[in-house]
Amino acid sequence: MYSFTPIGRIRSCFRERFGTPRQPGLAPDARAVLDLFPPADKNETIRGLDVFSHIWLIFVFHDTMKYGWRPTVRPPRMGGNRRTGVFATRSNYRPNPLGLSAVRLNGIRRDAGGLHLDLSDIDILDGTPVLDIKPCLPWTDNPKNVRAAFAAPEATLSVSFSARAEAALLQHPEGGRFRRLIIQVLGMDPRPAYRRDSHDPDRRHGIRLMDRDVRFQVTESQTAEVTDLLPLPDKGT
Amino acid sequence: MYSFTPIGRIRSCFRERFGTPRQPGLAPDARAVLDLFPPADKNETIRGLDVFSHIWLIFVFHDTMKYGWRPTVRPPRMGGNRRTGVFATRSNYRPNPLGLSAVRLNGIRRDAGGLHLDLSDIDILDGTPVLDIKPCLPWTDNPKNVRAAFAAPEATLSVSFSARAEAALLQHPEGGRFRRLIIQVLGMDPRPAYRRDSHDPDRRHGIRLMDRDVRFQVTESQTAEVTDLLPLPDKGT
């Protein structure tokens, strides 16, 4: 048995598991800050990191680890009805609840609160403990002739905004990015697979994203209509 | 603090740290077997994994973790004389001694001893505990427009074999692959940076590789001459 202590924690626009993309790169407007903890928060530990555009984060699936794991999972990409071995998936229900993401490093800042890495293109939940940072090295991280079982996910829903939602975005200090982020996140259809075919356009959904509860419903014409953006008690990134 | 229990252990051709490549992909003839432990050794856990050509391994730098870490390290790629932040390197002396490698998956076998994954293109030391296996997914593991600080390493030494070494390879059951592996490993010049400039052609080196102690010396013309392949007490992969 090996014990690890987090070197930092993520503050992310993704405030709950529902709606958090299943891979990085699907929501380029998704941002996060990695706050480093002592003793990893010295200026020395990140010396030279600024010349890398992307970093690997190894993190803990802290929010789902309490549920344990099973030998097989039902990946949403397979429609949620086919059982696949846990090691053949990126599921967060794993024997060791470790997550792995290549994310974009936009900047490194020090302020009174410590040392912070500004990230984007993320798929990591708010509050996630991070165990390690490694630079992305294309020649070793991209083996030649990789063959994978399935292709990249594609957006499956159109996204529209009600007049109330548009008004809320106009007043939001980061309205332009927030709008793009909502389109990226809802376009992937975050609903669980068993809800997608139920054809219940009256069902309302909510995703806590940035500092809002994004309320939406899915029409029969496969459009996610954002009805409201309700304030959340505390502010995300 | 989070505790993790290995899901398996590596049996590798690299029997000691000296000579183990610093990245996967540098020694295509390097092979290893990942032996899975209960309860991760069920047929179910790897169901569907065979359609992936490459997998990520997250593992523990078990052999060096006892030395702890420092905020900066001296990467061999920089000549060993420039200090770089630990998070800007793939050094194994890290706050959390976690390793990450994309390796080739050649096959999956079950025998009386359990469930085994046959791997190649590896850079992992014999006896390494593995914490997680994830499929390589090109669209999420290769972000676009990656910028890295330094380029892929290149072979810097020629490799030659003495008549005694050639005779030993001829008698070896995997002599052809062993020969290629030696060229791949010695070509990268495994000597520590402070020894490379010392011009001491009489100095003998040994690397425990597969089931042999590979003895060599480096000539003034930058050739690694393999003098002998001495048997080791137990057999590697």
Side-chain angles (χ1 to χ4, degrees), chain A residues 2-5 44 47 53 85 87 90 94 96 98 131-134 139 141-142 147 150, chain B residues 2-5 44 47 53 85 90 94 96 98 131-134 139 141-142 147 150:
Chain A
Y2 296 91
S3 294
F4 300 102
T5 303
E44 286 82 357
R47 187 191 297 171
S53 65
F87 294 135
R90 299 278 196 125
R94 323 183 64 76
N96 289 308
L98 290 167
L131 297 181
D132 202 1
I133 302 167
K134 295 177 196 287
W139 65 88
D141 297 330
N142 307 351
R147 181 169 43 85
F150 36 82
Chain B
Y2 297 90
S3 293
F4 300 100
T5 304
E44 285 83 356
R47 187 192 297 170
S53 64
R90 299 277 196 125
R94 324 182 64 76
N96 289 308
L98 290 167
L131 298 182
D132 203 2
I133 302 167
K134 294 177 199 285
W139 66 88
D141 297 330
N142 307 350
R147 182 169 43 85
F150 36 81

mmCIF file of all heavy atoms in Angstrom, chain A residues 2-5 44 47 53 85 87 90 94 96 98 131-134 139 141-142 147 150, chain B residues 2-5 44 47 53 85 90 94 96 98 131-134 139 141-142 147 150:
data_model
loop_
_atom_site.group_PDB
_atom_site.id
_atom_site.type_symbol
_atom_site.label_atom_id
_atom_site.label_comp_id
_atom_site.label_asym_id
_atom_site.label_seq_id
_atom_site.Cartn_x
_atom_site.Cartn_y
_atom_site.Cartn_z
ATOM 1 N N TYR A 2 0.495 2.209 -0.809
ATOM 2 C CA TYR A 2 1.254 3.453 -0.932
ATOM 3 C C TYR A 2 0.327 4.626 -0.616
ATOM 4 O O TYR A 2 -0.816 4.651 -1.058
ATOM 5 C CB TYR A 2 1.814 3.599 -2.345
ATOM 6 C CG TYR A 2 2.803 2.510 -2.677
ATOM 7 C CD1 TYR A 2 2.377 1.327 -3.268
ATOM 8 C CD2 TYR A 2 4.153 2.645 -2.371
ATOM 9 C CE1 TYR A 2 3.275 0.306 -3.562
ATOM 10 C CE2 TYR A 2 5.055 1.650 -2.659
ATOM 11 C CZ TYR A 2 4.621 0.476 -3.258
ATOM 12 O OH TYR A 2 5.504 -0.519 -3.530
ATOM 13 N N SER A 3 0.844 5.581 0.144
ATOM 14 C CA SER A 3 0.036 6.736 0.529
ATOM 15 C C SER A 3 0.564 7.988 -0.144
ATOM 16 O O SER A 3 1.782 8.195 -0.211
ATOM 17 C CB SER A 3 0.062 6.923 2.049
ATOM 18 O OG SER A 3 -0.590 5.835 2.654
ATOM 19 N N PHE A 4 -0.358 8.807 -0.626
ATOM 20 C CA PHE A 4 0.006 10.028 -1.333
ATOM 21 C C PHE A 4 -0.759 11.205 -0.739
ATOM 22 O O PHE A 4 -1.920 11.080 -0.362
ATOM 23 C CB PHE A 4 -0.318 9.886 -2.821
ATOM 24 C CG PHE A 4 0.414 8.755 -3.482
ATOM 25 C CD1 PHE A 4 -0.231 7.558 -3.746
ATOM 26 C CD2 PHE A 4 1.755 8.882 -3.808
ATOM 27 C CE1 PHE A 4 0.450 6.503 -4.341
ATOM 28 C CE2 PHE A 4 2.439 7.835 -4.407
ATOM 29 C CZ PHE A 4 1.789 6.643 -4.672
ATOM 30 N N THR A 5 -0.069 12.345 -0.662
ATOM 31 C CA THR A 5 -0.673 13.563 -0.145
ATOM 32 C C THR A 5 -0.822 14.534 -1.308
ATOM 33 O O THR A 5 0.131 14.752 -2.060
ATOM 34 C CB THR A 5 0.245 14.178 0.927
ATOM 35 O OG1 THR A 5 0.455 13.197 1.940
ATOM 36 C CG2 THR A 5 -0.393 15.403 1.554
ATOM 37 N N GLU A 44 10.455 27.298 -6.933
ATOM 38 C CA GLU A 44 11.400 26.360 -7.535
ATOM 39 C C GLU A 44 10.698 25.186 -8.214
ATOM 40 O O GLU A 44 11.143 24.718 -9.258
ATOM 41 C CB GLU A 44 12.364 25.807 -6.471
ATOM 42 C CG GLU A 44 13.426 26.779 -6.010
ATOM 43 C CD GLU A 44 12.918 27.751 -4.949
ATOM 44 O OE1 GLU A 44 11.708 27.712 -4.611
ATOM 45 O OE2 GLU A 44 13.724 28.553 -4.442
ATOM 46 N N ARG A 47 9.857 25.826 -11.813
ATOM 47 C CA ARG A 47 10.857 26.508 -12.655
ATOM 48 C C ARG A 47 10.999 25.783 -13.992
ATOM 49 O O ARG A 47 11.281 24.590 -14.028
ATOM 50 C CB ARG A 47 12.212 26.532 -11.940
ATOM 51 C CG ARG A 47 13.236 27.382 -12.689
ATOM 52 C CD ARG A 47 14.640 27.187 -12.125
ATOM 53 N NE ARG A 47 14.770 27.614 -10.747
ATOM 54 C CZ ARG A 47 15.841 27.379 -9.985
ATOM 55 N NH1 ARG A 47 16.866 26.705 -10.481
ATOM 56 N NH2 ARG A 47 15.872 27.803 -8.744
ATOM 57 N N SER A 53 3.272 24.015 -23.158
ATOM 58 C CA SER A 53 1.906 24.482 -23.395
ATOM 59 C C SER A 53 0.880 23.590 -22.701
ATOM 60 O O SER A 53 -0.232 24.025 -22.427
ATOM 61 C CB SER A 53 1.616 24.529 -24.896
ATOM 62 O OG SER A 53 1.652 23.221 -25.456
ATOM 63 N N GLY A 85 -14.679 -3.914 -19.496
ATOM 64 C CA GLY A 85 -13.751 -4.035 -18.365
ATOM 65 C C GLY A 85 -13.302 -2.654 -17.897
ATOM 66 O O GLY A 85 -13.052 -1.770 -18.722
ATOM 67 N N PHE A 87 -10.556 -1.555 -16.872
ATOM 68 C CA PHE A 87 -9.254 -1.112 -17.384
ATOM 69 C C PHE A 87 -9.298 -0.779 -18.882
ATOM 70 O O PHE A 87 -8.330 -0.250 -19.428
ATOM 71 C CB PHE A 87 -8.178 -2.159 -17.122
ATOM 72 C CG PHE A 87 -7.882 -2.362 -15.659
ATOM 73 C CD1 PHE A 87 -7.755 -3.639 -15.129
ATOM 74 C CD2 PHE A 87 -7.735 -1.271 -14.812
ATOM 75 C CE1 PHE A 87 -7.477 -3.830 -13.781
ATOM 76 C CE2 PHE A 87 -7.466 -1.451 -13.449
ATOM 77 C CZ PHE A 87 -7.340 -2.732 -12.944
ATOM 78 N N ARG A 90 -12.033 4.812 -19.219
ATOM 79 C CA ARG A 90 -11.512 5.884 -18.376
ATOM 80 C C ARG A 90 -12.487 6.180 -17.231
ATOM 81 O O ARG A 90 -12.412 7.241 -16.621
ATOM 82 C CB ARG A 90 -11.312 7.150 -19.221
ATOM 83 C CG ARG A 90 -10.317 6.984 -20.357
ATOM 84 C CD ARG A 90 -8.888 7.139 -19.868
ATOM 85 N NE ARG A 90 -7.982 7.346 -20.986
ATOM 86 C CZ ARG A 90 -7.145 8.375 -21.094
ATOM 87 N NH1 ARG A 90 -7.054 9.278 -20.140
ATOM 88 N NH2 ARG A 90 -6.354 8.485 -22.155
ATOM 89 N N ARG A 94 -12.798 3.011 -10.266
ATOM 90 C CA ARG A 94 -11.637 2.179 -10.568
ATOM 91 C C ARG A 94 -11.066 1.599 -9.279
ATOM 92 O O ARG A 94 -11.279 2.161 -8.207
ATOM 93 C CB ARG A 94 -10.523 3.008 -11.226
ATOM 94 C CG ARG A 94 -10.983 4.091 -12.178
ATOM 95 C CD ARG A 94 -9.838 4.804 -12.835
ATOM 96 N NE ARG A 94 -9.065 3.910 -13.669
ATOM 97 C CZ ARG A 94 -9.475 3.489 -14.867
ATOM 98 N NH1 ARG A 94 -10.597 3.914 -15.379
ATOM 99 N NH2 ARG A 94 -8.723 2.658 -15.554
ATOM 100 N N ASN A 96 -8.053 1.790 -8.089
ATOM 101 C CA ASN A 96 -7.439 2.971 -7.493
ATOM 102 C C ASN A 96 -8.016 4.186 -8.209
ATOM 103 O O ASN A 96 -7.831 4.328 -9.416
ATOM 104 C CB ASN A 96 -5.914 2.933 -7.650
ATOM 105 C CG ASN A 96 -5.275 1.872 -6.766
ATOM 106 O OD1 ASN A 96 -5.529 1.825 -5.566
ATOM 107 N ND2 ASN A 96 -4.467 1.004 -7.354
ATOM 108 N N LEU A 98 -7.747 6.932 -9.611
ATOM 109 C CA LEU A 98 -6.825 7.907 -10.169
ATOM 110 C C LEU A 98 -7.337 8.434 -11.506
ATOM 111 O O LEU A 98 -7.741 7.655 -12.363
ATOM 112 C CB LEU A 98 -5.441 7.263 -10.370
ATOM 113 C CG LEU A 98 -4.682 6.951 -9.088
ATOM 114 C CD1 LEU A 98 -3.483 6.043 -9.382
ATOM 115 C CD2 LEU A 98 -4.205 8.248 -8.418
ATOM 116 N N LEU A 131 -2.378 14.994 -7.411
ATOM 117 C CA LEU A 131 -1.222 14.301 -6.832
ATOM 118 C C LEU A 131 0.077 14.612 -7.560
ATOM 119 O O LEU A 131 1.153 14.523 -6.965
ATOM 120 C CB LEU A 131 -1.446 12.782 -6.848
ATOM 121 C CG LEU A 131 -2.618 12.256 -6.026
ATOM 122 C CD1 LEU A 131 -2.678 10.738 -6.127
ATOM 123 C CD2 LEU A 131 -2.509 12.687 -4.568
ATOM 124 N N ASP A 132 -0.006 14.928 -8.866
ATOM 125 C CA ASP A 132 1.241 15.143 -9.605
ATOM 126 C C ASP A 132 0.975 15.982 -10.854
ATOM 127 O O ASP A 132 -0.141 15.998 -11.383
ATOM 128 C CB ASP A 132 1.867 13.797 -10.013
ATOM 129 C CG ASP A 132 3.369 13.898 -10.282
ATOM 130 O OD1 ASP A 132 3.946 14.993 -10.133
ATOM 131 O OD2 ASP A 132 3.971 12.874 -10.652
ATOM 132 N N ILE A 133 2.018 16.693 -11.271
ATOM 133 C CA ILE A 133 2.048 17.474 -12.504
ATOM 134 C C ILE A 133 3.258 16.987 -13.287
ATOM 135 O O ILE A 133 4.353 16.894 -12.724
ATOM 136 C CB ILE A 133 2.273 18.975 -12.207
ATOM 137 C CG1 ILE A 133 1.186 19.534 -11.298
ATOM 138 C CG2 ILE A 133 2.378 19.778 -13.512
ATOM 139 C CD1 ILE A 133 1.543 20.908 -10.725
ATOM 140 N N LYS A 134 3.068 16.686 -14.576
ATOM 141 C CA LYS A 134 4.199 16.324 -15.441
ATOM 142 C C LYS A 134 4.063 17.089 -16.743
ATOM 143 O O LYS A 134 2.949 17.256 -17.232
ATOM 144 C CB LYS A 134 4.193 14.828 -15.755
ATOM 145 C CG LYS A 134 4.420 13.926 -14.554
ATOM 146 C CD LYS A 134 4.320 12.464 -14.959
ATOM 147 C CE LYS A 134 4.149 11.559 -13.754
ATOM 148 N NZ LYS A 134 5.365 11.394 -12.946
ATOM 149 N N TRP A 139 6.798 13.405 -27.960
ATOM 150 C CA TRP A 139 7.440 12.222 -28.542
ATOM 151 C C TRP A 139 7.310 10.992 -27.657
ATOM 152 O O TRP A 139 7.486 9.887 -28.124
ATOM 153 C CB TRP A 139 8.915 12.504 -28.837
ATOM 154 C CG TRP A 139 9.726 12.759 -27.619
ATOM 155 C CD1 TRP A 139 10.366 11.831 -26.846
ATOM 156 C CD2 TRP A 139 9.966 14.024 -27.003
ATOM 157 N NE1 TRP A 139 10.974 12.435 -25.799
ATOM 158 C CE2 TRP A 139 10.753 13.778 -25.869
ATOM 159 C CE3 TRP A 139 9.588 15.321 -27.299
ATOM 160 C CZ2 TRP A 139 11.174 14.804 -25.026
ATOM 161 C CZ3 TRP A 139 10.006 16.335 -26.467
ATOM 162 C CH2 TRP A 139 10.786 16.081 -25.348
ATOM 163 N N ASP A 141 4.522 10.795 -25.268
ATOM 164 C CA ASP A 141 3.110 10.633 -24.916
ATOM 165 C C ASP A 141 2.259 10.206 -26.105
ATOM 166 O O ASP A 141 1.122 9.785 -25.919
ATOM 167 C CB ASP A 141 2.563 11.944 -24.345
ATOM 168 C CG ASP A 141 3.261 12.327 -23.049
ATOM 169 O OD1 ASP A 141 3.701 11.412 -22.326
ATOM 170 O OD2 ASP A 141 3.383 13.534 -22.765
ATOM 171 N N ASN A 142 2.782 10.335 -27.319
ATOM 172 C CA ASN A 142 2.038 9.942 -28.519
ATOM 173 C C ASN A 142 2.761 8.801 -29.221
ATOM 174 O O ASN A 142 3.495 9.036 -30.174
ATOM 175 C CB ASN A 142 1.935 11.097 -29.526
ATOM 176 C CG ASN A 142 1.378 12.348 -28.896
ATOM 177 O OD1 ASN A 142 0.903 12.337 -27.760
ATOM 178 N ND2 ASN A 142 1.433 13.434 -29.638
ATOM 179 N N ARG A 147 -3.980 2.451 -32.012
ATOM 180 C CA ARG A 147 -5.288 1.959 -32.449
ATOM 181 C C ARG A 147 -6.206 1.985 -31.232
ATOM 182 O O ARG A 147 -5.864 1.444 -30.187
ATOM 183 C CB ARG A 147 -5.122 0.528 -32.985
ATOM 184 C CG ARG A 147 -6.365 -0.135 -33.504
ATOM 185 C CD ARG A 147 -5.992 -1.447 -34.242
ATOM 186 N NE ARG A 147 -4.977 -2.214 -33.516
ATOM 187 C CZ ARG A 147 -5.242 -3.075 -32.525
ATOM 188 N NH1 ARG A 147 -6.474 -3.264 -32.134
ATOM 189 N NH2 ARG A 147 -4.263 -3.736 -31.929
ATOM 190 N N PHE A 150 -12.743 3.198 -29.991
ATOM 191 C CA PHE A 150 -13.835 4.040 -30.466
ATOM 192 C C PHE A 150 -13.316 5.446 -30.733
ATOM 193 O O PHE A 150 -12.260 5.852 -30.266
ATOM 194 C CB PHE A 150 -15.020 4.052 -29.502
ATOM 195 C CG PHE A 150 -14.663 3.997 -28.053
ATOM 196 C CD1 PHE A 150 -14.300 5.142 -27.377
ATOM 197 C CD2 PHE A 150 -14.682 2.784 -27.359
ATOM 198 C CE1 PHE A 150 -13.980 5.098 -26.049
ATOM 199 C CE2 PHE A 150 -14.357 2.733 -26.018
ATOM 200 C CZ PHE A 150 -14.005 3.896 -25.352
ATOM 201 N N TYR B 2 -4.243 9.867 0.601
ATOM 202 C CA TYR B 2 -4.964 8.804 -0.098
ATOM 203 C C TYR B 2 -4.052 7.581 -0.211
ATOM 204 O O TYR B 2 -2.870 7.732 -0.499
ATOM 205 C CB TYR B 2 -5.386 9.265 -1.490
ATOM 206 C CG TYR B 2 -6.350 10.424 -1.446
ATOM 207 C CD1 TYR B 2 -5.889 11.733 -1.454
ATOM 208 C CD2 TYR B 2 -7.717 10.197 -1.368
ATOM 209 C CE1 TYR B 2 -6.777 12.798 -1.400
ATOM 210 C CE2 TYR B 2 -8.615 11.248 -1.317
ATOM 211 C CZ TYR B 2 -8.141 12.551 -1.327
ATOM 212 O OH TYR B 2 -9.015 13.598 -1.264
ATOM 213 N N SER B 3 -4.623 6.414 0.036
ATOM 214 C CA SER B 3 -3.831 5.178 -0.011
ATOM 215 C C SER B 3 -4.265 4.326 -1.191
ATOM 216 O O SER B 3 -5.464 4.203 -1.464
ATOM 217 C CB SER B 3 -4.011 4.389 1.283
ATOM 218 O OG SER B 3 -3.440 5.108 2.344
ATOM 219 N N PHE B 4 -3.272 3.769 -1.874
ATOM 220 C CA PHE B 4 -3.541 2.959 -3.053
ATOM 221 C C PHE B 4 -2.820 1.621 -2.933
ATOM 222 O O PHE B 4 -1.701 1.556 -2.415
ATOM 223 C CB PHE B 4 -3.074 3.686 -4.310
ATOM 224 C CG PHE B 4 -3.760 5.016 -4.511
ATOM 225 C CD1 PHE B 4 -3.127 6.193 -4.167
ATOM 226 C CD2 PHE B 4 -5.044 5.070 -5.014
ATOM 227 C CE1 PHE B 4 -3.762 7.411 -4.336
ATOM 228 C CE2 PHE B 4 -5.693 6.283 -5.195
ATOM 229 C CZ PHE B 4 -5.053 7.465 -4.859
ATOM 230 N N THR B 5 -3.478 0.577 -3.400
ATOM 231 C CA THR B 5 -2.907 -0.767 -3.385
ATOM 232 C C THR B 5 -2.612 -1.176 -4.818
ATOM 233 O O THR B 5 -3.486 -1.035 -5.682
ATOM 234 C CB THR B 5 -3.920 -1.748 -2.757
ATOM 235 O OG1 THR B 5 -4.260 -1.276 -1.460
ATOM 236 C CG2 THR B 5 -3.338 -3.140 -2.644
ATOM 237 N N GLU B 44 -12.960 -10.190 -16.346
ATOM 238 C CA GLU B 44 -13.870 -9.066 -16.600
ATOM 239 C C GLU B 44 -13.134 -7.731 -16.650
ATOM 240 O O GLU B 44 -13.486 -6.863 -17.446
ATOM 241 C CB GLU B 44 -14.950 -8.987 -15.506
ATOM 242 C CG GLU B 44 -16.036 -10.035 -15.615
ATOM 243 C CD GLU B 44 -15.614 -11.366 -14.997
ATOM 244 O OE1 GLU B 44 -14.450 -11.493 -14.547
ATOM 245 O OE2 GLU B 44 -16.450 -12.286 -14.986
ATOM 246 N N ARG B 47 -11.914 -6.830 -20.090
ATOM 247 C CA ARG B 47 -12.808 -7.088 -21.222
ATOM 248 C C ARG B 47 -12.837 -5.872 -22.162
ATOM 249 O O ARG B 47 -13.142 -4.763 -21.731
ATOM 250 C CB ARG B 47 -14.227 -7.387 -20.739
ATOM 251 C CG ARG B 47 -15.160 -7.830 -21.874
ATOM 252 C CD ARG B 47 -16.607 -7.848 -21.442
ATOM 253 N NE ARG B 47 -16.850 -8.817 -20.378
ATOM 254 C CZ ARG B 47 -18.000 -8.885 -19.690
ATOM 255 N NH1 ARG B 47 -18.972 -8.032 -19.961
ATOM 256 N NH2 ARG B 47 -18.159 -9.775 -18.737
ATOM 257 N N SER B 53 -4.235 -0.652 -28.920
ATOM 258 C CA SER B 53 -2.839 -1.015 -29.191
ATOM 259 C C SER B 53 -1.909 -0.505 -28.088
ATOM 260 O O SER B 53 -0.817 -1.034 -27.915
ATOM 261 C CB SER B 53 -2.392 -0.439 -30.539
ATOM 262 O OG SER B 53 -2.400 0.972 -30.514
ATOM 263 N N GLY B 85 12.622 22.860 -12.202
ATOM 264 C CA GLY B 85 11.571 22.520 -11.242
ATOM 265 C C GLY B 85 11.105 21.084 -11.432
ATOM 266 O O GLY B 85 10.962 20.617 -12.556
ATOM 267 N N ARG B 90 10.159 14.855 -15.860
ATOM 268 C CA ARG B 90 9.569 13.545 -15.585
ATOM 269 C C ARG B 90 10.429 12.774 -14.580
ATOM 270 O O ARG B 90 10.308 11.547 -14.481
ATOM 271 C CB ARG B 90 9.469 12.752 -16.891
ATOM 272 C CG ARG B 90 8.586 13.409 -17.950
ATOM 273 C CD ARG B 90 7.123 13.090 -17.709
ATOM 274 N NE ARG B 90 6.334 13.375 -18.894
ATOM 275 C CZ ARG B 90 5.535 12.493 -19.500
ATOM 276 N NH1 ARG B 90 5.415 11.270 -19.035
ATOM 277 N NH2 ARG B 90 4.860 12.822 -20.569
ATOM 278 N N ARG B 94 9.933 12.766 -6.924
ATOM 279 C CA ARG B 94 8.785 13.675 -6.964
ATOM 280 C C ARG B 94 8.082 13.678 -5.614
ATOM 281 O O ARG B 94 8.200 12.706 -4.869
ATOM 282 C CB ARG B 94 7.769 13.229 -8.019
ATOM 283 C CG ARG B 94 8.344 12.633 -9.285
ATOM 284 C CD ARG B 94 7.271 12.271 -10.288
ATOM 285 N NE ARG B 94 6.581 13.452 -10.741
ATOM 286 C CZ ARG B 94 7.108 14.301 -11.620
ATOM 287 N NH1 ARG B 94 8.296 14.096 -12.128
ATOM 288 N NH2 ARG B 94 6.418 15.371 -11.981
ATOM 289 N N ASN B 96 4.983 13.080 -4.927
ATOM 290 C CA ASN B 96 4.323 11.774 -4.945
ATOM 291 C C ASN B 96 5.016 10.956 -6.032
ATOM 292 O O ASN B 96 4.952 11.330 -7.208
ATOM 293 C CB ASN B 96 2.826 11.908 -5.228
ATOM 294 C CG ASN B 96 2.080 12.521 -4.055
ATOM 295 O OD1 ASN B 96 2.195 12.059 -2.916
ATOM 296 N ND2 ASN B 96 1.322 13.570 -4.324
ATOM 297 N N LEU B 98 4.950 9.044 -8.470
ATOM 298 C CA LEU B 98 4.108 8.403 -9.474
ATOM 299 C C LEU B 98 4.764 8.469 -10.839
ATOM 300 O O LEU B 98 5.233 9.530 -11.254
ATOM 301 C CB LEU B 98 2.733 9.089 -9.532
ATOM 302 C CG LEU B 98 1.838 8.873 -8.320
ATOM 303 C CD1 LEU B 98 0.659 9.844 -8.340
ATOM 304 C CD2 LEU B 98 1.329 7.439 -8.291
ATOM 305 N N LEU B 131 -0.438 0.900 -10.363
ATOM 306 C CA LEU B 131 -1.663 1.326 -9.680
ATOM 307 C C LEU B 131 -2.873 1.382 -10.604
ATOM 308 O O LEU B 131 -3.999 1.245 -10.147
ATOM 309 C CB LEU B 131 -1.474 2.715 -9.041
ATOM 310 C CG LEU B 131 -0.401 2.833 -7.972
ATOM 311 C CD1 LEU B 131 -0.377 4.253 -7.416
ATOM 312 C CD2 LEU B 131 -0.646 1.820 -6.849
ATOM 313 N N ASP B 132 -2.649 1.635 -11.892
ATOM 314 C CA ASP B 132 -3.803 1.777 -12.785
ATOM 315 C C ASP B 132 -3.384 1.520 -14.228
ATOM 316 O O ASP B 132 -2.223 1.708 -14.602
ATOM 317 C CB ASP B 132 -4.422 3.184 -12.661
ATOM 318 C CG ASP B 132 -5.886 3.237 -13.098
ATOM 319 O OD1 ASP B 132 -6.453 2.191 -13.463
ATOM 320 O OD2 ASP B 132 -6.463 4.341 -13.065
ATOM 321 N N ILE B 133 -4.369 1.075 -15.014
ATOM 322 C CA ILE B 133 -4.255 0.870 -16.465
ATOM 323 C C ILE B 133 -5.393 1.660 -17.087
ATOM 324 O O ILE B 133 -6.536 1.536 -16.650
ATOM 325 C CB ILE B 133 -4.471 -0.616 -16.839
ATOM 326 C CG1 ILE B 133 -3.480 -1.530 -16.125
ATOM 327 C CG2 ILE B 133 -4.434 -0.805 -18.353
ATOM 328 C CD1 ILE B 133 -3.875 -3.015 -16.216
ATOM 329 N N LYS B 134 -5.072 2.462 -18.109
ATOM 330 C CA LYS B 134 -6.124 3.162 -18.850
ATOM 331 C C LYS B 134 -5.833 3.007 -20.335
ATOM 332 O O LYS B 134 -4.673 3.052 -20.736
ATOM 333 C CB LYS B 134 -6.128 4.660 -18.510
ATOM 334 C CG LYS B 134 -6.500 4.999 -17.079
ATOM 335 C CD LYS B 134 -6.413 6.488 -16.834
ATOM 336 C CE LYS B 134 -6.330 6.810 -15.362
ATOM 337 N NZ LYS B 134 -7.622 6.662 -14.672
ATOM 338 N N TRP B 139 -7.481 11.067 -29.252
ATOM 339 C CA TRP B 139 -8.097 12.402 -29.344
ATOM 340 C C TRP B 139 -8.072 13.145 -28.016
ATOM 341 O O TRP B 139 -8.240 14.351 -27.993
ATOM 342 C CB TRP B 139 -9.521 12.290 -29.877
ATOM 343 C CG TRP B 139 -10.441 11.574 -28.955
ATOM 344 C CD1 TRP B 139 -11.176 12.111 -27.940
ATOM 345 C CD2 TRP B 139 -10.709 10.175 -28.942
ATOM 346 N NE1 TRP B 139 -11.881 11.123 -27.303
ATOM 347 C CE2 TRP B 139 -11.620 9.929 -27.898
ATOM 348 C CE3 TRP B 139 -10.279 9.090 -29.712
ATOM 349 C CZ2 TRP B 139 -12.090 8.655 -27.607
ATOM 350 C CZ3 TRP B 139 -10.748 7.841 -29.410
ATOM 351 C CH2 TRP B 139 -11.640 7.635 -28.381
ATOM 352 N N ASP B 141 -5.553 12.276 -25.492
ATOM 353 C CA ASP B 141 -4.190 12.243 -24.960
ATOM 354 C C ASP B 141 -3.224 13.100 -25.765
ATOM 355 O O ASP B 141 -2.118 13.376 -25.312
ATOM 356 C CB ASP B 141 -3.680 10.798 -24.918
ATOM 357 C CG ASP B 141 -4.507 9.935 -23.988
ATOM 358 O OD1 ASP B 141 -5.052 10.486 -23.006
ATOM 359 O OD2 ASP B 141 -4.624 8.721 -24.236
ATOM 360 N N ASN B 142 -3.617 13.499 -26.984
ATOM 361 C CA ASN B 142 -2.763 14.335 -27.828
ATOM 362 C C ASN B 142 -3.431 15.675 -28.057
ATOM 363 O O ASN B 142 -4.055 15.886 -29.092
ATOM 364 C CB ASN B 142 -2.526 13.690 -29.203
ATOM 365 C CG ASN B 142 -2.015 12.277 -29.100
ATOM 366 O OD1 ASN B 142 -1.652 11.806 -28.026
ATOM 367 N ND2 ASN B 142 -1.989 11.587 -30.217
ATOM 368 N N ARG B 147 3.412 22.466 -27.262
ATOM 369 C CA ARG B 147 4.738 23.068 -27.318
ATOM 370 C C ARG B 147 5.519 22.521 -26.127
ATOM 371 O O ARG B 147 5.081 22.599 -24.990
ATOM 372 C CB ARG B 147 4.603 24.593 -27.221
ATOM 373 C CG ARG B 147 5.868 25.386 -27.299
ATOM 374 C CD ARG B 147 5.546 26.886 -27.461
ATOM 375 N NE ARG B 147 4.447 27.314 -26.580
ATOM 376 C CZ ARG B 147 4.592 27.681 -25.315
ATOM 377 N NH1 ARG B 147 5.779 27.693 -24.755
ATOM 378 N NH2 ARG B 147 3.553 28.066 -24.597
ATOM 379 N N PHE B 150 11.947 20.757 -24.848
ATOM 380 C CA PHE B 150 13.106 20.161 -25.515
ATOM 381 C C PHE B 150 12.667 18.995 -26.391
ATOM 382 O O PHE B 150 11.568 18.465 -26.245
ATOM 383 C CB PHE B 150 14.190 19.733 -24.529
ATOM 384 C CG PHE B 150 13.684 19.191 -23.224
ATOM 385 C CD1 PHE B 150 13.272 17.886 -23.136
ATOM 386 C CD2 PHE B 150 13.624 19.996 -22.087
ATOM 387 C CE1 PHE B 150 12.814 17.373 -21.943
ATOM 388 C CE2 PHE B 150 13.160 19.497 -20.888
ATOM 389 C CZ PHE B 150 12.751 18.179 -20.814
#
